[in-house]
Amino acid sequence: MKILGIETSCDETAAAVVENGVKILSSAVASSAEMHAKTGGVIPEAAARAQVVSILPVLQEALSDAKCGMEKIDAIATTVGPGLVGSLLVGVESAKTLAYLYRKPIVPVNHLVAHIYANWLVESAPEFPAMVLVVSGGHTDLVLMQAHSTLEWLGGTRDDAAGEAFDKSARLLGLSYPGGPAIAAAAKDFKFPNSNFQLKLFPRPMMDEHNFDFSFSGLKTAVWRATQDKGLKISTEQLAAEVQEAIVDVLITKTLRAVREFRPKSLLLAGGVSANTRLREAFESKIKNLKLEVDFRVPPPKLCTDNAAYIAACAYFCHFPVAWESLETKPDLSISGQV
Ligand code: KG4
Ligand code: ZN
């Protein structure tokens, strides 16, 4: 079954063709991040206008790379939220138009649930139950997944998301947008004075509370204070490393607490922040040190940040649970126009 995925929730315009939920036949992404870098963050109106410019070339690229015309597509999956409304509309209206023209079913997809499905776009599928940490620009959530479409929300951020903490701290430190990769790059350049040197300048909010919630707004304030303190002689590289370490510490501590409590078979990371090398490596070494028996998975960095391949994968696993090929008579799924 071939699904055309469309993703336009923020500043990436993406389309992809995915076969049977796991095989990426094509994945095209156009980003307007460079434009937003000039303003230090996303301006929703500007992002929506960039979506309009990119959507047709991106759709054409995805179909042509997959060597597949619309007639060979079985369904169209599109992000319907959460996201910026102007940006979302571009993807939804494009999906509706294609569905109407080619008489294809539309599958509405939740962007955050879809992020998790980047973990299925690899060789072997993770086993259930799975504990999932979704860390993106706008969300930080811990979710227990018993099966496809069976998700239990355990907790999430009470204020800023982890990605937002990266982005806003980067801005305070005079680093570029998006802040996550900029902080990671600056932190990499920090030379530790000695092997006992610990990065502990910033607070680890809610880390020791026995719940699965997060809070990152205080961290942002602490970074702001550090930038205002003229007596603090600390390099930008060290401040970046300190911010990264504080975020990574909290995410890992709370997630592994959930793993110890719920004993899932797999632990999955999802969302743009899971592209962070320090986070990935620290998770791996902590799991090893604590001898936790859990299959730790994190998608390749390119699949962590926004793309449409996981939108198509999510639609396949959550909306077409019966193996499509095994059906002798394909049901008429034409719901074109009804999103
Ligand atoms: O999932 P995503 O691409 O878009 C949303 O759904 O929000 O996540 C974007 C977020 C941004 O906050 C960005 O700074 C962060 O992911 N990010 C990173 C890295 N790459 C992207 N954060 C830390 N380290 C990275 N390497
Ligand atoms: Zn995202």
Side-chain angles (χ1 to χ4, degrees):
M1 180 182 200
K2 289 190 181 72
I3 299 184
L4 170 67
I6 301 177
E7 154 59 37
T8 65
S9 64
C10 187
D11 55 346
E12 265 89 33
T13 313
V17 179
V18 174
E19 195 168 54
N20 297 334
V22 292
K23 190 171 172 200
I24 303 174
L25 300 184
S26 67
S27 179
V29 183
S31 175
S32 57
E34 233 172 77
M35 175 178 74
H36 304 300
K38 291 185 194 132
T39 46
V42 176
I43 296 178
E45 172 70 16
R49 284 169 184 265
Q51 295 285 0
V52 176
V53 173
S54 297
I55 189 72
L56 288 181
V58 161
L59 279 166
Q60 273 159 354
E61 187 183 330
L63 289 167
S64 113
D65 287 357
K67 299 189 179 32
C68 159
M70 271 308 294
E71 63 291 345
K72 292 210 184 114
I73 296 290
D74 297 296
I76 301 165
T78 188
T79 304
V80 293
L84 304 173
V85 69
S87 289
L88 284 166
L89 269 171
V90 177
V92 171
E93 292 304 317
S94 306
K96 282 162 78 174
T97 308
L98 286 172
Y100 182 72
L101 274 174
Y102 294 95
R103 311 307 300 167
K104 305 289 177 186
I106 295 185
V107 182
V109 171
N110 176 296
H111 179 79
L112 294 167
V113 176
H115 259 300
I116 302 171
Y117 279 88
N119 287 286
W120 269 260
L121 292 165
V122 290
E123 263 169 30
S124 64
E127 275 189 90
F128 293 123
M131 182 63 64
V132 194
L133 174 69
V134 186
V135 267
S136 72
H139 293 80
T140 299
D141 296 295
L142 258 178
V143 178
L144 183 60
M145 216 175 161
Q146 298 289 358
H148 296 300
S149 304
T150 313
L151 285 84
E152 186 189 344
W153 185 81
L154 302 178
T157 184
R158 295 198 184 165
D159 39 59
D160 292 354
E164 200 176 347
F166 271 112
D167 292 338
K168 289 182 175 165
S169 300
R171 199 179 160 147
L172 289 167
L173 297 178
L175 300 170
S176 62
Y177 173 86
I183 287 203
K188 221 171 150 203
D189 290 337
F190 173 62
K191 304 272 174 288
F192 283 79
N194 59 61
S195 55
N196 294 327
F197 190 85
Q198 293 246 323
L199 292 165
K200 283 273 173 174
L201 183 69
F202 295 130
R204 271 68 170 151
M206 294 186 76
M207 190 163 85
D208 300 319
E209 285 183 31
H210 201 92
N211 55 33
F212 301 115
D213 284 346
F214 302 86
S215 165
F216 291 105
S217 64
L219 174 61
K220 184 177 60 190
T221 310
V223 175
W224 178 77
R225 284 219 181 94
T227 60
Q228 301 304 302
D229 184 349
K230 301 292 172 239
L232 197 68
K233 299 278 178 255
I234 292 185
S235 67
T236 304
E237 288 72 27
Q238 180 174 345
L239 288 172
E242 297 272 5
V243 170
Q244 178 171 265
E245 213 54 24
I247 297 172
V248 165
D249 229 6
V250 177
L251 292 177
I252 293 187
T253 304
K254 298 217 97 163
T255 305
L256 294 187
R257 191 174 294 151
V259 166
R260 279 196 296 266
E261 188 161 327
F262 292 91
R263 307 231 160 247
K265 285 197 174 144
S266 328
L267 169 60
L268 317 178
L269 298 193
V273 176
S274 56
N276 185 276
T277 309
R278 173 73 190 134
L279 180 71
R280 299 158 80 98
E281 290 175 355
F283 253 116
E284 261 177 26
S285 69
K286 206 72 188 247
I287 288 169
K288 214 167 152 194
N289 290 347
L290 293 172
K291 297 192 172 56
L292 291 175
E293 281 181 23
V294 69
D295 179 17
F296 175 61
R297 305 276 188 110
V298 53
K302 237 177 141 181
L303 292 176
C304 293
T305 47
D306 287 351
N307 66 82
Y310 59 65
I311 303 295
C314 176
Y316 179 84
F317 286 107
C318 297
H319 296 265
F320 300 102
V322 184
W324 189 253
E325 328 79 85
S326 71
L327 296 178
E328 277 181 22
T329 325
K330 308 270 190 265
D332 179 12
L333 292 161
S334 306
I335 50 158
S336 36
Q338 295 178 25
V339 170

